[in-house]
Amino acid sequence: MLIKRIRRRGAIAAALTLTVAVVATACGGGGGDSIASKNPSDTLVVGLYTEPTAIDPQREYFWETFRASRNIYEPLVQEVLSSDQGVTELAPGLATTWRHSPDASTWTFDLRRGVKFHDGTDFDAAALDFNVKRFSDPGFEFYDEKSAAMLKARFNDLKGTRIVDDHTYEFTFNRPYLGFPRLLAQSIGSPLIFSPAALRQYGNDGLSEHPTGTGPYRFVERKINDHITLDRFDGYWGESPSLKRLVFRTIPNNQSRLAAFQSGEIDILTRVQPTDVELLERQGAVVPKGTGAQLDYVSFLFGNRWAQNPSVREAVSLAIDRQSLADNIYSGHAQPLWSFLNPGNEAYDANLRNYSYDPERARAVLDEAGAGNGQVSFNIIADLAGQPEAEAISANLKAVGIDAPVVALERGNYSSRISNPQPDDGFHLGEYGGTYPEWALEGFNSTVVANGGERYVDYPAITRALDAARYTADPAVRIANWQNADKVIAADHAVIPTVNFTRYYAISPQVRGFVWPSTNWYDLGPVSKEG
């Protein structure tokens, strides 16, 4: 049985707030123009690096969407985001406690009482059931195929649900599901809770234009490719946030986003360029160290004949100098990865080395496979943010006899290209990850299965290892099983990790209480601003 209860975070948040304040003061006199916010003290402006998708909790994707939408919508279970140390803990959200059956196939949630949606309607078991039926019951009046597709990975083994009483709800799966609570706290493919009344009023396609949740902030307006504005919700059930208004501005260009931060137009800069870290610190910004739950990786496009060749994939893996990527491309503000289970993940083990750098062996592998002497040639597809890393990998491959020019595209065209690759496209540079071990399964499906790779990897062995991890009812072996699945994926070079970022946000000197936890988003509830 597993029961989680509320933990107070005040002492941790206060200590971290003091730490940020001290660091900001220490950094302030290092030279260059000092950064000062131009925004009111009750308003925080975040500079996003890509445009959020639909603000609909069952249709959204991209971290940048969740960084905004999690202030509107809430999950049953959430991550504790008040510490920057270790894997995030789980804590109550709209559920106060939860427990599972002896075989871990049935989960029962006790729901928080007295919670109101932003439209004044009540959150209860009936509202939760409405949310679940939208993606799980084809006979439901408001069933949504788009939502069903987005949540399929997390709920494809759902057997049924039950309203136990007004504030108790039950999920039953066909097999054990020990990872379920942590998966509920994630951004994509997890049911953050929306108002049934809002969906009835605006329809499945209209919810994203009128997002209505239970979170500490309510939706005010959105201008596509410009900004999203949220205001504090005075009827929030929990601790009232310090700031009255949040504005999320989309600024895709790295230099434009940097300039907006330096001029004080934005208070938080997302995805700091590694070459800018020292400059920003000299100007008084806080650029916290951390790991997040992110990783960059090589995702093969199996329509290409060289991607289908296991020897070529092995040579690619052996040729990539991950330490050089971290030191040179990311100016020391990244770390090499030897596991597909990224830092911040429950199952990550820094001592595991499932991949290695050995260019001489890479050349030998190509020769042994009859693919040496410069025969191998394909394109590397990257978005503009990943272009420098892709160019460095291209140089690594050239050194072992593989010709791999880079095709760099803005995010929209990049997504379209990898969904419809050209015959000469060998792989693309991806970025994702999570705190949940099930990432290994989702990552394998999105990088290998989605790209037609089942026939070209040892699919039976990999799926056996993944199923053994996912469906165990024994908590004592769960993490070890996920680590074994990672080894099986690595042995076939089905997907290849490269690096994890260790600097990602820049924070204005006026901002207090911001914490970068070991996940891919943050809590703005305790954040405040000076003067």
Side-chain angles (χ1 to χ4, degrees):
M1 180 178 290
L2 173 64
I3 300 178
K4 296 286 184 180
R5 299 189 184 277
I6 293 179
R7 297 182 176 90
R8 289 192 177 273
R9 65 186 182 186
I12 295 175
L16 288 167
T17 299
L18 177 61
T19 300
V20 172
V22 170
V23 172
T25 302
C27 291
D33 295 333
S34 178
I35 295 170
S37 177
K38 292 181 179 179
N39 304 305
S41 60
D42 63 357
T43 300
L44 184 82
V45 182
V46 179
L48 304 179
Y49 76 92
T50 192
E51 173 69 11
T53 61
I55 312 177
D56 177 330
Q58 295 181 4
R59 290 185 174 187
E60 71 178 34
Y61 51 99
F62 287 161
W63 295 328
E64 291 286 59
T65 310
F66 190 56
R67 288 165 184 155
S69 71
R70 71 178 304 277
N71 297 283
I72 303 172
Y73 301 112
E74 296 180 293
L76 296 177
V77 181
Q78 61 184 343
E79 294 176 305
V80 177
L81 305 180
S82 57
S83 173
D84 60 358
Q85 300 298 311
V87 177
T88 54
E89 296 183 21
L90 297 183
L94 291 178
T96 55
T97 60
W98 52 93
R99 54 200 171 273
H100 63 71
S101 60
D103 68 353
S105 65
T106 296
W107 286 89
T108 304
F109 293 83
D110 298 318
L111 307 182
R112 192 175 297 280
R113 298 169 184 263
V115 176
K116 296 283 188 182
F117 289 103
H118 299 157
D119 57 12
T121 57
D122 293 325
F123 164 73
D124 54 17
L128 174 58
D129 192 58
F130 185 102
N131 275 252
V132 174
K133 279 184 165 53
R134 186 194 185 204
F135 66 82
S136 66
D137 182 0
F140 182 53
E141 178 184 1
F142 294 98
Y143 177 72
D144 178 37
E145 291 184 354
K146 291 181 180 179
S147 297
M150 288 298 296
L151 276 74
K152 181 179 179 180
R154 307 278 168 82
F155 289 91
N156 62 354
D157 209 36
L158 182 66
K159 183 178 181 180
T161 59
R162 183 168 72 98
I163 297 176
V164 179
D165 59 41
D166 285 349
H167 293 92
T168 311
Y169 196 78
E170 187 176 274
F171 295 86
T172 298
F173 296 89
N174 291 307
R175 288 170 284 192
Y177 204 176
L178 286 174
F180 187 48
R182 182 171 288 278
L183 287 168
L184 288 174
Q186 304 306 309
S187 64
I188 300 172
S190 296
L192 283 78
I193 310 303
F194 60 82
S195 163
L199 191 134
R200 285 191 180 100
Q201 180 176 356
Y202 301 112
N204 278 323
D205 293 332
L207 182 64
S208 64
E209 298 175 3
H210 305 274
T212 310
T214 62
Y217 289 90
R218 62 177 182 81
F219 178 78
V220 176
E221 67 173 3
R222 178 179 190 178
K223 184 177 180 181
I224 299 295
N225 294 317
D226 191 89
H227 71 272
I228 296 169
T229 300
L230 312 179
D231 275 357
R232 184 169 57 206
F233 175 45
D234 292 334
Y236 183 53
W237 62 265
E239 184 176 349
S240 181
S242 300
L243 296 160
K244 181 179 179 181
R245 172 163 287 192
L246 303 179
V247 179
F248 296 88
R249 284 186 54 192
T250 301
I251 312 176
N253 181 273
N254 293 329
Q255 290 306 309
S256 298
R257 199 165 63 257
L258 173 65
F261 180 75
Q262 291 174 312
S263 69
E265 295 175 25
I266 61 176
D267 301 305
I268 295 177
L269 169 63
T270 306
R271 192 156 183 156
V272 174
Q273 297 304 293
T275 52
D276 296 331
V277 171
E278 283 73 21
L279 168 65
L280 288 168
E281 289 182 329
R282 288 196 303 271
Q283 293 178 341
V286 177
V287 188
K289 295 180 180 179
T291 59
Q294 162 274 347
L295 78 160
D296 280 9
Y297 53 85
V298 167
S299 179
F300 289 99
L301 298 167
F302 288 92
N304 180 269
R305 67 187 183 103
W306 296 116
Q308 298 167 7
N309 188 315
S311 295
V312 172
R313 296 199 305 271
E314 181 181 2
V316 169
S317 179
L318 291 166
I320 296 175
D321 188 348
R322 296 164 181 80
Q323 189 66 59
S324 178
L325 293 178
D327 292 344
N328 299 318
I329 301 304
Y330 294 108
S331 303
H333 303 311
Q335 59 184 330
L337 282 189
W338 311 104
S339 168
F340 195 44
L341 294 168
N342 48 281
N345 192 293
E346 271 189 305
Y348 177 69
D349 184 347
N351 296 317
L352 291 179
R353 291 183 68 93
N354 295 333
Y355 301 82
S356 61
Y357 170 56
D358 190 341
E360 290 187 9
R361 176 60 186 155
R363 285 189 285 269
V365 166
L366 291 173
D367 288 339
E368 291 166 8
N373 300 318
Q375 296 181 59
V376 181
S377 176
F378 51 74
N379 297 327
I380 300 174
I381 311 302
D383 65 7
L384 297 179
Q387 182 176 0
E389 181 179 338
E391 296 286 2
I393 292 174
S394 176
N396 288 162
L397 298 184
K398 189 173 184 64
V400 302
I402 297 174
D403 180 29
V406 174
V407 178
L409 304 166
E410 60 85 22
R411 188 73 193 188
N413 290 334
Y414 162 81
S415 298
S416 178
R417 178 70 170 257
I418 63 177
S419 297
N420 301 280
Q422 301 298 311
D424 290 336
D425 296 344
F427 66 77
H428 71 91
L429 194 60
E431 179 190 0
Y432 201 63
T435 60
Y436 52 100
E438 288 79 5
W439 152 247
L441 168 66
E442 292 181 7
F444 174 74
N445 285 336
S446 64
T447 60
V448 177
V449 177
N451 290 325
E454 302 101 308
R455 292 186 296 162
Y456 307 108
V457 301
D458 192 348
Y459 186 73
I462 293 172
T463 52
R464 279 195 303 269
L466 290 169
D467 286 350
R470 182 183 186 186
Y471 297 124
T472 181
D474 185 355
V477 303
R478 174 172 168 260
I479 296 301
N481 284 358
W482 282 114
Q483 292 171 342
N484 179 66
D486 184 30
K487 292 179 182 178
V488 176
I489 292 171
D492 211 26
H493 307 285
V495 57
I496 302 169
T498 58
V499 297
N500 162 259
F501 302 147
T502 58
R503 301 288 187 101
Y504 196 80
Y505 303 104
I507 316 302
S508 165
Q510 285 76 40
V511 173
R512 299 288 182 266
F514 180 89
V515 176
W516 180 18
S518 297
T519 188
N520 301 311
W521 35 83
Y522 39 74
D523 182 7
L524 295 178
V527 171
S528 62
K529 283 177 64 180
E530 281 192 349

